[in-house]
Structures are given as structure tokens and as C-alpha cells.
Amino acid sequence: MEIQEKTIKAVPEPTLRRFPMYIQLLKRLKNENIRYISSNTIADELGLDSIQVRKDLSLTGTIGKPKLGLILMS
């Protein structure tokens, strides 16, 4: 049985500074019973570029569904 090692990547400081904004927004949307949110919507809400949002969230291992976005509620 082969065991693959996972590489731990350093998270850039600007990304770490944005994480609290993401958390606050996602909690608010979940409280509003929003089920899915796209990176474009997150970017618009926070005044960021959607590519930056996708890069930031990819560091968490979070995967969204195409055409739907990230799942906030199941």
C-alpha cells in the first residue's frame, strides 16, 4: 500500500487577512437561508476579484458545484 504525502502550502498573508471577511459573509448568507453562492457573488459582495476568491478558497480545499457555487446549506 502506497501512502502519498500531502504538501502543506504556506497561505499568503493577504489571503489570511481576507478569510475573516469570507467567514462573516458566508455566516450571514447561511442565516438568510441561502443554499449556494458563487465566487462571483462573493467577489461582488466583498469588492474583490472573482479569480482571487477562487484562489483563496482553493487553499481551504473547498469545492463548489459548477453552475451552482459553494454549498452553504445541505
Side-chain angles (χ1 to χ4, degrees), residues 6-18:
K6 290 188 177 186
T7 304
I8 298 174
K9 297 179 184 178
V11 178
E13 188 174 327
T15 299
L16 289 174
R17 290 183 185 167
R18 285 187 292 272

Side-chain angles (χ1 to χ4, degrees), residues 11 13 18 20-23 25-26 28-29 33 35-36 38 52 56-58 62-63 68:
V11 178
E13 188 174 327
R18 285 187 292 272
M21 293 189 311
Y22 294 135
I23 292 168
L25 174 64
L26 297 175
R28 179 175 60 86
L29 294 171
N33 295 319
R35 292 186 58 133
Y36 299 95
S38 69
Q52 187 64 61
D56 288 349
L57 295 180
S58 72
T62 302
I63 300 172
L68 287 175

Side-chain angles (χ1 to χ4, degrees), residues 6-74:
K6 290 188 177 186
T7 304
I8 298 174
K9 297 179 184 178
V11 178
E13 188 174 327
T15 299
L16 289 174
R17 290 183 185 167
R18 285 187 292 272
F19 278 160
M21 293 189 311
Y22 294 135
I23 292 168
Q24 186 176 32
L25 174 64
L26 297 175
K27 282 182 179 180
R28 179 175 60 86
L29 294 171
K30 186 174 181 181
N31 287 336
E32 294 174 7
N33 295 319
I34 304 295
R35 292 186 58 133
Y36 299 95
I37 186 164
S38 69
S39 58
N40 289 335
T41 303
I42 293 171
D44 289 345
E45 288 276 336
L46 299 177
L48 300 171
D49 186 66
S50 63
I51 295 170
Q52 187 64 61
V53 171
R54 283 192 291 276
K55 285 181 181 180
D56 288 349
L57 295 180
S58 72
L59 293 171
T60 67
T62 302
I63 300 172
K65 290 189 173 201
K67 305 292 182 189
L68 287 175
L70 299 169
I71 301 171
L72 296 178
M73 302 178 79
S74 53

